[in-house]
Amino acid sequence: VTGVQTCALPISDPQVIYFTTLNGSFGRHDIRQDAASTEVFQLSEKKIGGFSLHPHAPHYVATASLDRFMRLWDLRKVTKGLPTLVGEHESRLSVSHAAFNSAGQVATTSYDDSIKIYSFGVGRSTKGRKEALESMGRWEAGFQLQDEAMKPEVVVRHNCQVSSAASTASRLKTDWISYRLAGGLRCK
């Protein structure tokens, strides 16, 4: 594998390395196995700039890509060489980072100068039916969300342009992961 962009080791299984590449691939490798066992999935046509594993259910992965999409994937069910696409949301411009918090929400930064917070339909009602009210930990393998549930619940205007994108994403990740511990979202 060449052109690795980002990588992560889940707390629940530090023997497995997850990574993205400059060409839109996402992979995982168990360091106890040989290199031939590495799984690589082509999840985007363009670079995946950032990704995050759900801290309590690391089989859920949120990806942020230059193709303007934040996507939520379930690694438990792979069909035709791809994990299950739980859902996706398209932004006006490229999405630079996606970060889970401990509650299972995802925050993204994007080049349309916004920070978006996704709760995947929790607490929403659509056409009389409540979407995704159960926690992600209870979703069956292969579960897919309706488009309505993939819309962000909160959009915060913020300068996320190139010069500050890396520091914004880094600060977002640190602050967002501790969101539940601090009792709410803080803006600095």
Side-chain angles (χ1 to χ4, degrees):
V1 177
T2 60
V4 172
Q5 172 68 20
T6 55
C7 62
L9 293 121
I11 294 170
S12 61
D13 191 0
Q15 303 298 320
V16 178
I17 298 171
Y18 294 84
F19 60 90
T20 60
T21 68
L22 296 172
N23 70 354
S25 295
F26 172 84
R28 63 180 164 187
H29 175 72
D30 187 324
I31 62 174
R32 297 165 290 199
Q33 305 294 321
D34 61 33
S37 68
T38 301
E39 295 177 281
V40 179
F41 308 105
Q42 188 68 42
L43 300 185
S44 175
E45 293 178 11
K46 297 185 178 180
K47 176 178 91 170
I48 296 173
F51 77 97
S52 179
L53 303 169
H54 188 297
H56 305 295
H59 50 271
Y60 288 115
V61 179
T63 59
S65 176
L66 291 182
D67 68 3
R68 304 186 332 229
F69 282 93
M70 184 285 291
R71 292 183 174 98
L72 180 62
W73 303 91
D74 185 347
L75 299 174
R76 294 176 297 178
K77 185 174 182 182
V78 177
T79 307
K80 296 183 181 179
L82 289 175
T84 300
L85 178 61
V86 177
E88 63 185 4
H89 181 261
E90 185 174 12
S91 291
R92 190 174 58 81
L93 297 173
S94 298
V95 183
S96 55
H97 191 68
F100 271 106
N101 70 5
S102 60
Q105 295 169 300
V106 170
T108 61
T109 56
S110 58
Y111 288 96
D112 63 2
D113 288 334
S114 67
I115 296 172
K116 296 178 179 116
I117 300 172
Y118 301 83
S119 297
F120 309 113
V122 174
R124 286 190 187 160
S125 180
T126 306
K127 298 180 185 174
R129 291 178 45 221
K130 294 195 175 190
E131 298 290 332
L133 289 177
E134 58 193 323
S135 71
M136 294 173 82
R138 297 179 63 187
W139 292 349
E140 296 290 327
F143 177 79
Q144 293 181 305
L145 287 167
Q146 300 290 327
D147 288 343
E148 183 68 24
M150 286 302 298
K151 291 182 180 176
E153 283 192 337
V154 177
V155 178
V156 178
R157 294 290 161 219
H158 178 73
N159 182 1
C160 299
Q161 295 304 312
V162 176
S163 62
S164 63
S167 63
T168 299
S170 176
R171 193 171 67 239
L172 169 69
K173 186 173 183 179
T174 302
D175 288 349
W176 185 241
I177 289 171
S178 62
Y179 168 77
R180 281 290 193 205
L181 300 174
L185 182 64
R186 300 186 317 266
C187 293
K188 294 180 181 178

